[in-house]
Amino acid sequence: MISTRIAGIGFQVPANVITNTDLIKFMDTSNEWIIERTGIEQRRYVSAGEGTSDLATAAAHKAIAMAGIDVSEIDFIICATISSDYFFPGSAFQVQANLGLADIGAFDIKVACSGFVYGLSIADQYIKTGQYKNILLIGAEVQSNALNLTTEGRDMAVLFGDGAGAVILQPSDGESLIYSTHLHADGRHLKDLWGEVPACNQKPHISHEMLDQGRQYPKMNGREVFRNALKRFPAVILEAMEKNNLTRDDITLIIPHQANLRITQAVAKRLELSMDKVYSNIHKYGNTTAASIPIAMAEALAEGKFKRGDNLVLASFGAGFSWGSAAIKF
Ligand code: UT7
């Protein structure tokens, strides 16, 4: 049976740094509130005209360079994003064109914060069956353009940022491999974290009335998300460990979706792990939705937090609700 390995990884964030103090210009909030409730100190916002596909393409180039392959060797593209540049088609097609790769298959998946883990699982199946040999998987988001940057939208506005991370997935060399992936969802919570408009069940999809009502902005029941995250993150991490008989000592690093530092700390506590085994870089980038895990992974690797041959568990929780994990020997 063929396994899958991560051959290369890279990330890209926009140059524009937005501190908590910058947000005070737009809304009633404070640096203290944001740090205490979320751990976030700053995030990155794109400049005018910069889109998800631009960040995704830049991250892809870095992952390709680390994998040491030629761009032309990529045979499939998956882009995990809820913020494709256009309503349709997805960003994967723009990335394909930007990389100069005509003809190969490409698609987006819209699984929000769990998009990267879901994408990893999909790509893993294609590699295992021998269908593809160099899959480009990207998690990329531009959230800043979607947020309500006023006091009314402050609960979400302070959390989210823009960025992209990418990996190249290849058949395993025997040393590095994805042990398993675990995917879950509970659609009963759909409206606890959602973006309603543009809505294809409405005619027209978007109207002046909808805009006046602010229905184009994402909405979140923060406490319900928090409560479920504390339940689902530990469970899905344990599921990945138990499936592969991995003990806490076997794991070098857990890389969770960067939702909120308080969530990450609570998850570490529930799993009886010290925070040096659970990676966090949310203070720098905020929550970048589908991009957060590959950004965190690329940064943790660059910081020497893990190396080839180390065991990692990636874990996600977010809109849907959807959650998942992947146990990996990097
Ligand atoms: O990827 C998954 C995405 N989402 C998440 O992971 C979010 C999970 N939820 C959370 O992280 C937290 O629920 C939040 C950080 C969003 C909110 O923290 P909280 O401790 O649950 O605060 P709260 O919603 O209970 O609000 C407490 C107070 C409220 O004021 P009152 O009603 O007590 O007067 C809010 O209006 O804080 C107020 N508030 C703010 N104040 C200053 C809400 N947002 C802000 C803000 N600045 N940005």
Side-chain angles (χ1 to χ4, degrees):
M1 175 77 150
I2 305 168
S3 299
T4 306
R5 75 167 193 138
I6 296 176
I9 180 161
F11 80 103
Q12 178 78 18
V13 288
N16 198 10
V17 176
I18 305 292
T19 65
N20 294 343
T21 309
D22 291 328
L23 292 179
I24 296 169
K25 293 174 205 148
F26 309 113
M27 63 191 79
D28 178 13
T29 189
S30 68
N31 184 40
E32 294 70 31
W33 191 97
I34 301 170
I35 290 180
E36 189 190 309
R37 303 290 177 119
T38 72
I40 298 166
E41 294 168 19
Q42 59 181 49
R43 69 290 290 143
R44 304 293 183 102
Y45 284 2
V46 288
S47 307
E50 196 177 11
T52 294
S53 63
D54 299 312
L55 299 176
T57 305
H61 277 300
K62 292 176 187 173
I64 292 163
M66 181 179 158
I69 59 166
D70 190 79
V71 176
S72 62
E73 292 177 75
I74 293 170
D75 48 10
F76 199 72
I77 300 174
I78 303 172
C79 189
T81 184
I82 56 166
S83 51
S84 54
D85 292 13
Y86 306 118
F87 188 47
F88 76 88
S91 283
F93 304 102
Q94 286 167 282
V95 173
Q96 189 221 41
N98 291 347
L99 294 176
L101 289 169
D103 292 352
I104 64 163
F107 67 77
D108 278 19
I109 55 167
K110 209 174 179 180
V111 199
C113 303
S114 294
F116 184 79
V117 173
Y118 268 65
L120 200 62
S121 185
I122 295 168
D124 186 31
Q125 313 311 315
Y126 281 135
I127 299 278
K128 278 176 174 161
T129 57
Q131 183 154 351
Y132 298 117
K133 300 222 161 4
N134 279 295
I135 298 180
L136 169 61
L137 167 66
I138 305 161
E141 305 283 3
V142 170
Q143 300 294 17
S144 57
N145 293 338
L147 298 168
N148 180 356
L149 292 174
T150 69
T151 299
E152 208 185 334
R154 66 183 178 177
D155 60 330
M156 294 198 78
V158 302
L159 288 178
F160 292 91
D162 305 337
V167 291
I168 297 293
L169 299 160
Q170 294 177 345
S172 171
D173 51 5
E175 292 297 314
S176 312
L177 66 137
I178 296 174
Y179 294 118
S180 63
T181 56
H182 307 271
L183 309 181
H184 300 280
D186 185 349
R188 292 173 299 180
H189 286 282
L190 188 135
K191 293 185 181 177
D192 283 326
L193 181 50
W194 71 316
E196 182 197 1
V197 167
C200 297
N201 62 354
Q202 305 284 324
K203 196 174 179 175
H205 293 169
I206 189 160
S207 65
H208 292 292
E209 194 190 354
M210 289 173 181
L211 294 176
D212 291 343
Q213 293 166 346
R215 286 161 64 190
Q216 71 278 25
Y217 296 123
K219 302 277 182 328
M220 177 176 75
N221 179 350
R223 287 192 180 179
E224 196 59 15
V225 176
F226 202 100
R227 205 176 61 77
N228 279 271
L230 293 199
K231 186 166 74 173
R232 301 306 190 179
F233 265 120
V236 84
I237 291 168
L238 287 174
E239 186 180 356
M241 288 167 63
E242 281 161 16
K243 166 84 182 173
N244 301 291
N245 294 318
L246 293 170
T247 66
R248 284 164 178 72
D249 290 341
D250 293 329
I251 293 168
T252 302
L253 199 61
I254 290 179
I255 303 176
H257 162 57
Q258 306 289 303
N260 179 326
L261 181 62
R262 276 162 62 215
I263 294 177
T264 302
Q265 287 169 335
V267 168
K269 199 170 168 199
R270 285 200 184 181
L271 292 173
E272 295 171 2
L273 288 166
S274 65
M275 272 302 282
D276 60 349
K277 276 218 168 184
V278 186
Y279 190 72
S280 176
N281 63 358
I282 196 169
H283 57 291
K284 290 198 267 184
Y285 307 119
N287 177 340
T288 56
T289 315
S292 95
I293 291 178
I295 291 175
M297 201 173 160
E299 198 158 78
L301 180 65
E303 289 168 1
K305 304 272 187 208
F306 67 91
K307 57 182 186 328
R308 281 280 174 213
D310 286 346
N311 292 322
L312 310 174
V313 175
L314 315 182
S316 65
F317 176 83
F321 290 152
S322 60
W323 61 101
S325 61
I328 291 171
K329 185 178 181 192
F330 188 78

Short mmCIF file of all heavy atoms in Angstrom, two decimals, residues 208-246:
data_model
loop_
_atom_site.label_atom_id
_atom_site.label_comp_id
_atom_site.label_asym_id
_atom_site.label_seq_id
_atom_site.Cartn_x
_atom_site.Cartn_y
_atom_site.Cartn_z
N HIS A 208 -29.81 45.09 -2.07
CA HIS A 208 -29.53 46.28 -1.25
C HIS A 208 -30.08 46.08 0.15
O HIS A 208 -29.45 46.48 1.13
CB HIS A 208 -30.15 47.51 -1.90
CG HIS A 208 -29.48 47.88 -3.18
ND1 HIS A 208 -28.19 48.36 -3.23
CD2 HIS A 208 -29.90 47.82 -4.47
CE1 HIS A 208 -27.85 48.58 -4.49
NE2 HIS A 208 -28.86 48.25 -5.26
N GLU A 209 -31.25 45.44 0.23
CA GLU A 209 -31.87 45.20 1.55
C GLU A 209 -30.96 44.33 2.43
O GLU A 209 -30.74 44.61 3.60
CB GLU A 209 -33.23 44.53 1.33
CG GLU A 209 -34.09 44.54 2.57
CD GLU A 209 -35.32 43.65 2.42
OE1 GLU A 209 -35.55 43.11 1.32
OE2 GLU A 209 -36.01 43.46 3.43
N MET A 210 -30.44 43.26 1.82
CA MET A 210 -29.54 42.37 2.58
C MET A 210 -28.32 43.13 3.07
O MET A 210 -27.89 42.98 4.22
CB MET A 210 -29.07 41.20 1.70
CG MET A 210 -30.13 40.17 1.37
SD MET A 210 -29.40 39.01 0.18
CE MET A 210 -30.78 37.91 -0.10
N LEU A 211 -27.77 43.96 2.18
CA LEU A 211 -26.58 44.73 2.56
C LEU A 211 -26.90 45.70 3.68
O LEU A 211 -26.13 45.84 4.63
CB LEU A 211 -26.02 45.49 1.34
CG LEU A 211 -25.45 44.62 0.22
CD1 LEU A 211 -25.02 45.48 -0.97
CD2 LEU A 211 -24.28 43.77 0.69
N ASP A 212 -28.08 46.35 3.57
CA ASP A 212 -28.49 47.29 4.63
C ASP A 212 -28.63 46.57 5.97
O ASP A 212 -28.38 47.14 7.03
CB ASP A 212 -29.81 47.98 4.27
CG ASP A 212 -29.64 48.94 3.10
OD1 ASP A 212 -28.47 49.31 2.82
OD2 ASP A 212 -30.65 49.29 2.47
N GLN A 213 -29.04 45.29 5.92
CA GLN A 213 -29.21 44.51 7.15
C GLN A 213 -27.89 43.89 7.64
O GLN A 213 -27.86 43.22 8.67
CB GLN A 213 -30.22 43.38 6.91
CG GLN A 213 -31.65 43.88 6.67
CD GLN A 213 -32.56 42.79 6.11
OE1 GLN A 213 -32.10 41.74 5.65
NE2 GLN A 213 -33.86 43.04 6.15
N GLY A 214 -26.82 44.08 6.88
CA GLY A 214 -25.50 43.55 7.28
C GLY A 214 -25.40 42.04 7.15
O GLY A 214 -24.56 41.40 7.81
N ARG A 215 -26.24 41.44 6.28
CA ARG A 215 -26.25 39.98 6.19
C ARG A 215 -25.09 39.43 5.37
O ARG A 215 -24.91 38.21 5.26
CB ARG A 215 -27.59 39.49 5.64
CG ARG A 215 -28.68 39.63 6.69
CD ARG A 215 -30.07 39.62 6.11
NE ARG A 215 -30.41 38.36 5.46
CZ ARG A 215 -31.51 38.20 4.72
NH1 ARG A 215 -32.33 39.21 4.54
NH2 ARG A 215 -31.76 37.03 4.18
N GLN A 216 -24.29 40.31 4.78
CA GLN A 216 -23.09 39.86 4.05
C GLN A 216 -21.94 39.55 5.00
O GLN A 216 -20.94 38.96 4.60
CB GLN A 216 -22.65 40.94 3.03
CG GLN A 216 -22.04 42.20 3.63
CD GLN A 216 -23.09 43.21 4.10
OE1 GLN A 216 -24.22 42.87 4.41
NE2 GLN A 216 -22.71 44.48 4.13
N TYR A 217 -22.06 39.96 6.26
CA TYR A 217 -20.97 39.72 7.21
C TYR A 217 -21.10 38.35 7.86
O TYR A 217 -22.22 37.92 8.18
CB TYR A 217 -20.98 40.78 8.32
CG TYR A 217 -20.72 42.17 7.81
CD1 TYR A 217 -21.63 43.20 8.03
CD2 TYR A 217 -19.54 42.46 7.11
CE1 TYR A 217 -21.39 44.48 7.56
CE2 TYR A 217 -19.30 43.74 6.64
CZ TYR A 217 -20.23 44.74 6.87
OH TYR A 217 -19.99 46.00 6.40
N PRO A 218 -19.95 37.67 8.10
CA PRO A 218 -20.04 36.38 8.80
C PRO A 218 -20.56 36.59 10.22
O PRO A 218 -20.34 37.65 10.82
CB PRO A 218 -18.59 35.88 8.82
CG PRO A 218 -17.75 37.08 8.58
CD PRO A 218 -18.57 38.05 7.79
N LYS A 219 -21.24 35.57 10.74
CA LYS A 219 -21.81 35.65 12.10
C LYS A 219 -21.34 34.45 12.92
O LYS A 219 -21.15 33.36 12.38
CB LYS A 219 -23.35 35.64 12.05
CG LYS A 219 -23.97 36.75 11.22
CD LYS A 219 -24.09 38.03 12.00
CE LYS A 219 -24.75 39.18 11.26
NZ LYS A 219 -24.58 39.31 9.84
N MET A 220 -21.18 34.67 14.21
CA MET A 220 -20.67 33.59 15.05
C MET A 220 -21.33 33.63 16.43
O MET A 220 -21.48 34.70 17.01
CB MET A 220 -19.15 33.78 15.20
CG MET A 220 -18.48 32.79 16.11
SD MET A 220 -16.69 33.01 16.15
CE MET A 220 -16.56 34.48 17.16
N ASN A 221 -21.68 32.46 16.90
CA ASN A 221 -22.09 32.30 18.29
C ASN A 221 -20.82 31.85 19.04
O ASN A 221 -20.55 30.65 19.18
CB ASN A 221 -23.20 31.23 18.36
CG ASN A 221 -23.68 30.96 19.77
OD1 ASN A 221 -23.07 31.42 20.73
ND2 ASN A 221 -24.74 30.19 19.89
N GLY A 222 -20.05 32.85 19.46
CA GLY A 222 -18.70 32.59 19.97
C GLY A 222 -18.65 31.58 21.10
O GLY A 222 -17.78 30.71 21.12
N ARG A 223 -19.60 31.69 22.02
CA ARG A 223 -19.57 30.78 23.18
C ARG A 223 -19.85 29.34 22.79
O ARG A 223 -19.25 28.42 23.34
CB ARG A 223 -20.58 31.24 24.23
CG ARG A 223 -20.10 32.48 24.91
CD ARG A 223 -20.92 32.80 26.12
NE ARG A 223 -20.40 34.00 26.74
CZ ARG A 223 -20.94 34.54 27.82
NH1 ARG A 223 -21.99 33.99 28.38
NH2 ARG A 223 -20.41 35.62 28.33
N GLU A 224 -20.77 29.16 21.84
CA GLU A 224 -21.09 27.81 21.37
C GLU A 224 -19.89 27.21 20.61
O GLU A 224 -19.57 26.02 20.76
CB GLU A 224 -22.34 27.86 20.48
CG GLU A 224 -23.01 26.54 20.22
CD GLU A 224 -23.50 25.80 21.47
OE1 GLU A 224 -23.59 26.40 22.55
OE2 GLU A 224 -23.78 24.59 21.33
N VAL A 225 -19.23 28.06 19.81
CA VAL A 225 -18.03 27.59 19.09
C VAL A 225 -16.97 27.18 20.12
O VAL A 225 -16.38 26.10 20.03
CB VAL A 225 -17.47 28.69 18.15
CG1 VAL A 225 -16.18 28.23 17.50
CG2 VAL A 225 -18.50 29.06 17.09
N PHE A 226 -16.78 28.03 21.08
CA PHE A 226 -15.77 27.79 22.12
C PHE A 226 -16.05 26.47 22.85
O PHE A 226 -15.18 25.61 23.01
CB PHE A 226 -15.81 28.96 23.12
CG PHE A 226 -14.55 29.13 23.91
CD1 PHE A 226 -13.60 30.07 23.57
CD2 PHE A 226 -14.30 28.33 25.02
CE1 PHE A 226 -12.44 30.24 24.29
CE2 PHE A 226 -13.14 28.49 25.76
CZ PHE A 226 -12.21 29.44 25.40
N ARG A 227 -17.31 26.31 23.27
CA ARG A 227 -17.72 25.12 24.04
C ARG A 227 -17.49 23.84 23.24
O ARG A 227 -16.93 22.86 23.75
CB ARG A 227 -19.22 25.25 24.38
CG ARG A 227 -19.68 24.50 25.59
CD ARG A 227 -21.15 24.81 25.86
NE ARG A 227 -22.03 24.42 24.76
CZ ARG A 227 -22.41 23.17 24.50
NH1 ARG A 227 -22.00 22.19 25.25
NH2 ARG A 227 -23.21 22.91 23.48
N ASN A 228 -17.88 23.86 21.99
CA ASN A 228 -17.71 22.67 21.14
C ASN A 228 -16.25 22.42 20.79
O ASN A 228 -15.82 21.27 20.70
CB ASN A 228 -18.55 22.81 19.87
CG ASN A 228 -20.00 22.44 20.09
OD1 ASN A 228 -20.38 21.28 19.95
ND2 ASN A 228 -20.81 23.41 20.52
N ALA A 229 -15.49 23.50 20.59
CA ALA A 229 -14.07 23.35 20.27
C ALA A 229 -13.35 22.63 21.42
O ALA A 229 -12.52 21.74 21.18
CB ALA A 229 -13.43 24.72 20.04
N LEU A 230 -13.71 22.97 22.65
CA LEU A 230 -13.05 22.34 23.80
C LEU A 230 -13.36 20.85 23.90
O LEU A 230 -12.61 20.08 24.50
CB LEU A 230 -13.48 23.01 25.10
CG LEU A 230 -13.02 24.45 25.30
CD1 LEU A 230 -13.09 24.83 26.76
CD2 LEU A 230 -11.59 24.64 24.80
N LYS A 231 -14.49 20.45 23.33
CA LYS A 231 -14.86 19.03 23.34
C LYS A 231 -14.22 18.30 22.14
O LYS A 231 -13.64 17.25 22.28
CB LYS A 231 -16.40 18.95 23.26
CG LYS A 231 -16.96 17.56 23.38
CD LYS A 231 -18.48 17.61 23.64
CE LYS A 231 -19.22 17.98 22.38
NZ LYS A 231 -20.68 17.88 22.48
N ARG A 232 -14.33 18.92 20.97
CA ARG A 232 -13.94 18.22 19.73
C ARG A 232 -12.43 18.15 19.51
O ARG A 232 -11.93 17.15 19.00
CB ARG A 232 -14.59 18.89 18.51
CG ARG A 232 -16.11 18.92 18.54
CD ARG A 232 -16.72 17.56 18.75
NE ARG A 232 -18.16 17.59 18.54
CZ ARG A 232 -18.95 16.54 18.65
NH1 ARG A 232 -18.45 15.36 18.98
NH2 ARG A 232 -20.24 16.65 18.43
N PHE A 233 -11.71 19.23 19.83
CA PHE A 233 -10.25 19.21 19.61
C PHE A 233 -9.59 18.04 20.37
O PHE A 233 -8.89 17.22 19.75
CB PHE A 233 -9.61 20.53 20.06
CG PHE A 233 -9.41 21.56 18.99
CD1 PHE A 233 -10.01 22.80 19.08
CD2 PHE A 233 -8.57 21.33 17.91
CE1 PHE A 233 -9.82 23.78 18.11
CE2 PHE A 233 -8.36 22.29 16.93
CZ PHE A 233 -8.99 23.53 17.05
N PRO A 234 -9.79 17.94 21.69
CA PRO A 234 -9.11 16.84 22.40
C PRO A 234 -9.54 15.47 21.89
O PRO A 234 -8.71 14.57 21.73
CB PRO A 234 -9.54 17.02 23.86
CG PRO A 234 -9.99 18.44 23.96
CD PRO A 234 -10.53 18.81 22.62
N ALA A 235 -10.85 15.32 21.60
CA ALA A 235 -11.34 14.01 21.16
C ALA A 235 -10.70 13.58 19.84
O ALA A 235 -10.30 12.42 19.68
CB ALA A 235 -12.87 14.06 21.03
N VAL A 236 -10.59 14.52 18.92
CA VAL A 236 -10.08 14.14 17.58
C VAL A 236 -8.56 13.97 17.60
O VAL A 236 -8.00 13.20 16.81
CB VAL A 236 -10.59 15.14 16.51
CG1 VAL A 236 -9.73 16.39 16.41
CG2 VAL A 236 -10.75 14.46 15.16
N ILE A 237 -7.89 14.64 18.53
CA ILE A 237 -6.43 14.42 18.70
C ILE A 237 -6.22 13.02 19.30
O ILE A 237 -5.38 12.25 18.81
CB ILE A 237 -5.81 15.52 19.60
CG1 ILE A 237 -5.83 16.87 18.86
CG2 ILE A 237 -4.38 15.15 20.01
CD1 ILE A 237 -5.52 18.09 19.73
N LEU A 238 -7.01 12.70 20.31
CA LEU A 238 -6.89 11.36 20.93
C LEU A 238 -7.23 10.26 19.93
O LEU A 238 -6.60 9.20 19.91
CB LEU A 238 -7.80 11.25 22.16
CG LEU A 238 -7.32 12.03 23.39
CD1 LEU A 238 -8.38 11.97 24.49
CD2 LEU A 238 -5.98 11.51 23.90
N GLU A 239 -8.22 10.53 19.07
CA GLU A 239 -8.60 9.55 18.03
C GLU A 239 -7.40 9.23 17.14
O GLU A 239 -7.11 8.06 16.85
CB GLU A 239 -9.76 10.11 17.20
CG GLU A 239 -10.33 9.12 16.19
CD GLU A 239 -11.48 9.71 15.37
OE1 GLU A 239 -11.91 10.86 15.63
OE2 GLU A 239 -11.94 9.00 14.46
N ALA A 240 -6.68 10.28 16.73
CA ALA A 240 -5.49 10.08 15.87
C ALA A 240 -4.39 9.34 16.61
O ALA A 240 -3.71 8.47 16.04
CB ALA A 240 -4.99 11.44 15.38
N MET A 241 -4.21 9.66 17.90
CA MET A 241 -3.16 8.99 18.69
C MET A 241 -3.50 7.52 18.90
O MET A 241 -2.66 6.63 18.70
CB MET A 241 -3.00 9.69 20.04
CG MET A 241 -2.34 11.06 19.93
SD MET A 241 -2.47 12.05 21.45
CE MET A 241 -1.53 11.05 22.59
N GLU A 242 -4.75 7.26 19.28
CA GLU A 242 -5.15 5.88 19.59
C GLU A 242 -5.11 4.99 18.35
O GLU A 242 -4.65 3.86 18.39
CB GLU A 242 -6.55 5.88 20.22
CG GLU A 242 -6.47 6.26 21.70
CD GLU A 242 -7.80 6.73 22.28
OE1 GLU A 242 -8.85 6.49 21.65
OE2 GLU A 242 -7.78 7.34 23.37
N LYS A 243 -5.57 5.54 17.23
CA LYS A 243 -5.59 4.77 15.97
C LYS A 243 -4.18 4.26 15.62
O LYS A 243 -4.01 3.20 15.04
CB LYS A 243 -6.13 5.67 14.85
CG LYS A 243 -5.93 5.20 13.45
CD LYS A 243 -6.99 4.23 13.02
CE LYS A 243 -6.72 3.73 11.61
NZ LYS A 243 -7.63 2.67 11.22
N ASN A 244 -3.17 5.06 15.98
CA ASN A 244 -1.79 4.72 15.59
C ASN A 244 -0.91 4.31 16.76
O ASN A 244 0.31 4.26 16.62
CB ASN A 244 -1.18 5.94 14.86
CG ASN A 244 -1.99 6.29 13.63
OD1 ASN A 244 -1.99 5.55 12.66
ND2 ASN A 244 -2.71 7.40 13.68
N ASN A 245 -1.55 4.05 17.90
CA ASN A 245 -0.81 3.67 19.11
C ASN A 245 0.30 4.65 19.45
O ASN A 245 1.41 4.25 19.81
CB ASN A 245 -0.22 2.26 18.96
CG ASN A 245 -1.31 1.22 18.87
OD1 ASN A 245 -2.30 1.28 19.61
ND2 ASN A 245 -1.16 0.29 17.95
N LEU A 246 0.01 5.94 19.30
CA LEU A 246 1.00 6.96 19.63
C LEU A 246 0.74 7.47 21.04
O LEU A 246 -0.39 7.87 21.36
CB LEU A 246 0.90 8.14 18.65
CG LEU A 246 1.28 7.87 17.19
CD1 LEU A 246 0.89 9.04 16.31
CD2 LEU A 246 2.78 7.57 17.07
#
